[in-house]
Amino acid sequence: MGDVLVSARGLEVHFPVRGGGKGGGVLRAVDGVDLDVLRGETLGLVGESGCGKSTLGNALLRLVPPTGGTVTFDGTDVTSLDRRGLKEMRRRAGMVFQDPFASLDPRRTVAQTVSEPLEVHGLRSGRRERAARVAELLELVGLDPAVAGRYPHEFSGGQRQRVGIARALAGEPDFLVCDEAIASLDVSVQAQVLNLLRRLQRQLGLTLLFVSHDLSAVRHISDRIAVMYLGRIVEIGPAAAVGADPQMPYTQALLSAVPVPHPAKERARERIVLRGDVPSPSAVPSGCRFRTRCPYVFEPCDDVDPALQPAGAPGQLAACHLHGVEGTPVTETPEGVTADP
């Protein structure tokens, strides 16, 4: 682990919306993201619903076209690939979708679903070889190969998601985007799927982008965590550092909402309740986009958009003026927050 497999620079995904004045408006789902995913790591991407994290995952695979910026996969510019190049890239980069019920074709058997990438990419030459590979993949994700002839409606949600994972692995990928892969599953099944993904990541040497709104699940599976708010990455760093000592007030609020499985500690701990609602991505606030809900807002927040800068542990970055305006450290005083001279 250490070299970059997937990289985004200035990545934007904007969608036109009706209304909002003359000519309509623009919804800034992803709004200038710089992100590196290191080979062999699991990077957790967390944030509230609507923050743009799923769109970012789709844009990295060019399932949605970027409006601006670049995406590189193993040194190749994904945004400039033609149809043939994109097909080859997608063999090496798969996706596990959120809804295991909607993501599987109800008219196709498990064998047909899992073998489709083998046929598309020519990875197995004959029907017998493809059937053997399907059996291997089903065993790999914890399913009996005997179920290959069944249809999706004959499975539980957790089993369907295992089929989806087997399909994603059929192309022998290097990189997987897991888009809310446990969100629609029962809590007991979520742990099983998380452990499966961890085992597959180690066993196959996969690189994972694990997208979720569940910070506790992200902490469990990730090597690093990136926190997203209103189209931007606002904090990123080692999972242990972000989980134990978050440097961005938004991350602190997310962590305070995670239940603690100890009644006395749960009652004693302080909750951070954010004021107001999440602004619309089509009307992003000036300056720091979190300022309308931040409990620590002060003068620079209204006008200056903070960049990611070192804060906390080594490798930890936060986009917050509490860690300095353009690198100037700040201190807290009884009168408020002030910049050091």
Side-chain angles (χ1 to χ4, degrees):
M1 194 171 75
D3 60 319
V4 176
L5 179 63
V6 182
S7 179
R9 289 293 178 268
L11 184 61
E12 297 179 348
V13 182
H14 297 170
F15 300 103
V17 293
R18 295 180 179 179
K22 185 181 295 184
V26 175
L27 189 150
R28 302 174 182 271
V30 178
D31 198 24
V33 166
D34 294 337
L35 184 69
D36 290 330
V37 186
L38 306 181
R39 193 184 304 272
E41 78 167 342
T42 297
L43 175 64
L45 182 61
V46 67
E48 294 172 288
S49 296
C51 71
K53 56 189 184 297
S54 292
T55 304
L56 174 57
N58 285 318
L60 293 179
L61 302 183
R62 224 179 90 178
L63 295 177
V64 296
T67 308
T70 60
V71 177
T72 58
F73 177 80
D74 204 10
T76 300
D77 184 359
V78 173
T79 55
S80 64
L81 289 177
D82 58 14
R83 185 173 180 178
R84 178 178 296 180
L86 197 57
K87 178 182 176 181
E88 174 58 26
M89 186 276 290
R90 287 178 178 164
R91 184 193 69 77
R92 299 182 57 201
M95 174 168 275
V96 180
F97 296 93
Q98 175 177 351
D99 189 347
F101 296 89
S103 63
L104 300 179
D105 189 335
R107 299 165 297 180
R108 297 172 68 87
T109 66
V110 166
Q112 290 172 327
T113 295
V114 177
S115 66
E116 184 176 15
L118 302 176
E119 299 172 23
V120 169
H121 298 293
L123 297 177
R124 294 296 185 274
S125 58
R127 183 177 299 178
R128 182 173 298 179
E129 288 188 15
R130 287 196 293 269
R133 179 57 177 160
V134 168
E136 290 176 8
L137 290 166
L138 293 178
E139 285 186 324
L140 190 62
V141 299
L143 292 175
D144 188 338
V147 306
R150 297 183 183 177
Y151 289 87
H153 73 270
E154 300 179 70
F155 296 92
S156 66
Q159 290 172 324
R160 289 188 188 200
Q161 196 61 293
R162 289 174 187 266
V163 173
I165 294 171
R167 176 180 59 187
L169 295 175
E172 301 173 3
D174 300 306
F175 177 53
L176 279 187
V177 176
C178 301
D179 182 19
E180 298 278 11
I182 63 170
S184 60
L185 305 178
D186 293 339
V187 174
S188 59
V189 180
Q190 289 181 359
Q192 297 174 18
V193 173
L194 280 176
N195 290 332
L196 171 64
L197 289 171
R198 290 186 67 184
R199 175 174 64 80
L200 292 172
Q201 193 268 343
R202 293 192 299 266
Q203 183 176 342
L204 303 177
L206 294 170
T207 301
L208 299 182
L209 178 68
F210 186 80
V211 180
S212 179
H213 64 272
D214 186 344
L215 189 51
S216 61
V218 169
R219 290 170 66 184
H220 176 73
I221 196 173
S222 303
D223 299 300
R224 290 191 303 143
I225 294 175
V227 182
M228 196 165 184
Y229 182 79
L230 212 59
R232 287 271 184 89
I233 302 296
V234 296
E235 183 163 358
I236 188 169
V242 174
D245 187 23
Q247 299 296 306
M248 171 69 185
Y250 177 63
T251 312
Q252 295 167 6
L254 289 180
L255 278 168
S256 78
V258 177
V260 175
H262 190 291
K265 292 181 179 179
E266 175 68 15
R267 288 193 298 269
R269 74 191 186 107
E270 182 181 357
R271 290 286 185 89
I272 300 175
V273 180
L274 298 178
R275 62 189 184 188
D277 298 322
V278 182
S280 169
S282 60
V284 177
S286 62
C288 175
R289 57 194 59 207
F290 184 59
R291 68 176 176 80
T292 58
R293 305 172 72 199
C294 182
Y296 306 111
V297 63
F298 66 118
E299 184 178 357
C301 304
D302 291 341
D303 303 312
V304 182
D305 188 6
L308 285 169
Q309 56 189 307
Q316 190 171 2
L317 306 173
C320 181
H321 292 311
L322 291 174
H323 303 291
V325 180
E326 298 182 354
T328 303
V330 300
T331 58
E332 291 193 45
T333 69
E335 291 76 26
V337 181
T338 60
D340 286 343

